[in-house]
Amino acid sequence: MRLTQKPMTALLVLLSATVLTVHAQAQKPLPKLGKSSLKEVVNAMTVEEKAKLVVGMGFKMPGMPPPVKGEKPKPINIGGFTLPPSDPEAYDVPEKVVGTAGRTHAILRLGIPSITVSDGPAGLRIDPTRPNDKRTYYATAFPVATLLASSWDTALVKKVGVAFGNEIREYGVDVILGPALNIHRNPLGGRNFEYYSEDPLVAGSMTAAIVNGIQSQGVGTSIKHFAANNQETNRNSVNTIVSERAMREIYLKGFEIAVKASQPWTVMSSYNRVNGTYTSERRDLQTDILKREWGFKGFVMTDWFGGHDAVAQMNAGNDLLMPGNPDQSDAIVAAVKDGTLTLAQLDANVTRMLKIILKSPTFKGYKYSDKPDLKGHAAVSRTAAAQGMILLKNDGATLPLAKGKKIAVFGNTSYALIAGGTGSGDVHKAYTAMLPQGLANAGIKVQPELAKSYADYLVEAKAKQPKSTNFFMAPPPIPEMDVTGLVEKEADGADAAIITIGRNAGEGADRKVENDFTLTDAEKALINSVSNAFHAKGKKVVVVLNIGGVIEVASWRDSVDGILLAWQPGLEGGNAIADVLSGKVNPSGKLASTFPVAYQDVPSAKNFPGKEFPRPAGQQPNPMVGAPSEVVYQEGVYVGYRYYDSFKIKPAYEFGYGLSYTKFKLSDVKVSTPEFKGSVSISVTVKNTGKAAGKEVVQLYLTAPNQTLDKPAQELKAFAKTGLLAPGQSQVVTLTLHAGDLASFYTDKSAWVADAGEYKVQIGTSSREIAKSVSFKLAKEIVTEKTHKSLTPQVAIEEVINK
């Protein structure tokens, strides 16, 4: 319940509290964080101190002059982006770790230190060099989230988290701003590489795994962006119009899974509005759902410069405003004085922050080394990358490549591998292992003259490339080298060809359909030229996809013999790709997002990224804010495979798909009980029937009865990856469903309900490759959870219905 007070009463209460605090402090020693109760520490703080604690120290830009002492701080203009003024303390107090994203204010008289937060969903983002310091501080670029999710291996992802967390701790950072787990609503999403999947179970499970790994090292995470942050276009201004059911079943479910399974230290609210209100200003989202329904125990921080109204954010339960500016603190103090923000609410925000500060390495005085085990972490990165790569095509057993084979390596990105995306998801790493280097390390010979031609071409092209003036954006890609005069000679001398196709994207902009989702004319010509020449000699051609998001493959895949989806594999990418191409690692990755035949098949294609409105008269364009806009999620719950499978639209490669160098058979599928009573278990025997050791992913899809509520044809409800099975070896996999797994969200009832009736269980290795179906019955409906009425759209939404 929100408390309100009339202005005069509020002021009297405030003055009385201040007098009592000062008097009490004069009578006894000041309380100290960690030595006194949290209540005592909070009561000892002045309103001004509380207002500083819930507002970050500010945004310090390299090379920007500090605020002039004695003058009111002014807004900062950087590359056309107007940023709010920074707190002078950001310049007066040296950074603990150079190049991090922000800090909180210290209140030293009460023993409250400043904690440091850093970007880095795929690796710690700090500056590699420091003034007057000859040492380097490189970080490990781990595989991007989409690749990790493609492993379908939560134990592996947790190991990545352990290595990641150690690096965070040893470089002196308290909280990493990641992982990110927004849904792949549309393949053009600019930050999809930072996100895991189109499915909330996969996204939530992977997030929980990496959070548990990172936080096992005594540092914190900030899962983001909460919520419905599914595009970069007008991200700071777009109003996402979406039904409560779609929000809860698709866009919030992954966050719910992660919060309940891992308790991240913090959650980051997103930039966008949801149904008319900024997410950071929605009390139903930040307090009712996140904290009360899900039991989240940490604090919520804004995305950088997110939201509009500092007081509304405090009242919503958004506990920390980042990166923070003095005007926000002043507004909070004024709001307490006039009663629009109660002391009780502000104290709740402060208390949540103090609970996390108590857990931080900084508070505990951890003596960080600045020397994490980068070599060991690189090995973890390489293993994870290889385990998440997906073999999309392998006609005629083209792969694996035998040791000693001579390979002609084509494509710019073979020689300039993309380890990860741009913007805050980028990592300052010591190196990136290129594909030719990896192949050579695997004992596969790379044609030297072709490699030299590419090296010379890229050096010359990079010298002519315009430098990016935008922190978020990479320079435009270099056009593919014309290989017309080289390809015939290479087809004569090499045993096979590899072509790498690269894509990069990131924060600040979404991708385009032409020449991004689809191949460029030069890329098509490269594939055709190489394939024609090599096939004429009876030799094979393999394409490696070094991409951050889904692309079109249907129009060109028949021209090649093999396709390996390597995603963006981190700093050991070239070695990890070679591990799979050579057969050292048997590919076991599976798609966590569908590859459509054409962009028009995507359920959100007609309303992504939405529509823009005219700017108010006199308002100047501001890239930081974007244009007034809205996007309507008309597809409702029919995102990804839920849409393709329900409406019988054939994808290029379906959700859950991935080949292996061996074969598996699923058999002996058994359901523990024909009548659901609290839970039901389904067991299946997985046997390796091929000639190479490998791993398989068992996927459980559930079809629920739908007497009154429109439901997808099937939904992923459980999955498990086997161990490494030798030829002929079997493993029994058991998957368990609980009542909540059966439930759908009924908006009119504000409840999750498992309907009575027959539930069909489909066990398979992709959403379309089903080995066996079994069923069980629920005799009487179960209300698994009652919720707060929340997130109500202001307008009617004509959602897609499966009829």
Side-chain angles (χ1 to χ4, degrees), residues 121 145-146 148-149 153-154 157-158 161 164 176 178-183 194-197 199-215 221-225 252-267 719:
T146 304
L148 292 180
D153 188 340
T154 53
V157 173
K158 184 177 180 180
F164 195 169
I176 193 76
L181 68 149
N182 294 106
I183 293 296
E194 292 187 41
Y195 307 146
Y196 292 101
S197 176
D199 180 77
L201 175 63
V202 175
S205 300
M206 296 298 157
T207 299
I210 201 165
V211 167
N212 282 325
I214 292 171
Q215 294 189 171
T221 59
S222 186
I223 66 173
K224 63 185 186 181
H225 307 90
L252 297 183
K253 176 56 72 172
F255 284 94
E256 179 182 4
I257 291 168
V259 165
K260 290 180 177 179
S262 65
Q263 278 296 337
W265 286 13
T266 79
V267 169
F719 63 89

Side-chain angles (χ1 to χ4, degrees), residues 11 52 73 96 167 231 241 346 357 432 497 521 570 645 681 692 743:
L11 183 58
K52 290 198 82 170
K96 178 184 175 188
E167 205 155 301
Q231 64 188 66
I241 300 174
L346 182 57
I357 292 171
T432 299
D521 289 342
D645 293 350
S681 294

Side-chain angles (χ1 to χ4, degrees), residues 607-644:
N607 49 26
F608 180 92
K611 60 182 179 181
E612 294 186 358
F613 301 108
R615 298 179 189 278
Q619 186 186 82
Q620 297 299 312
N622 184 348
M624 190 69 190
V625 176
S629 61
E630 72 176 25
V631 58
V632 183
Y633 285 21
Q634 285 185 292
E635 70 277 8
V637 298
Y638 290 102
V639 177
Y641 72 90
R642 287 170 169 81
Y643 174 76
Y644 298 103

Side-chain angles (χ1 to χ4, degrees), residues 55 74 94 109 120 221 232 245 276 316 348 363 377 392 398 445 465 495 520 528 608 642 697 703 718:
V55 174
K74 297 176 182 178
R109 73 183 188 92
T221 59
E232 289 299 288
R245 181 188 175 198
F363 178 80
H377 297 167
L392 294 178
T398 297
K445 298 176 181 178
Q465 205 173 23
D495 296 309
T520 66
N528 288 334
F608 180 92
R642 287 170 169 81
V697 177
T703 301

Side-chain angles (χ1 to χ4, degrees), residues 287-307:
T287 295
D288 294 343
I289 293 174
L290 177 61
K291 296 170 181 174
R292 293 177 179 170
E293 291 181 14
W294 300 349
F296 174 60
K297 302 184 190 314
F299 69 76
V300 180
M301 72 173 81
T302 62
D303 204 340
W304 268 226
F305 310 105

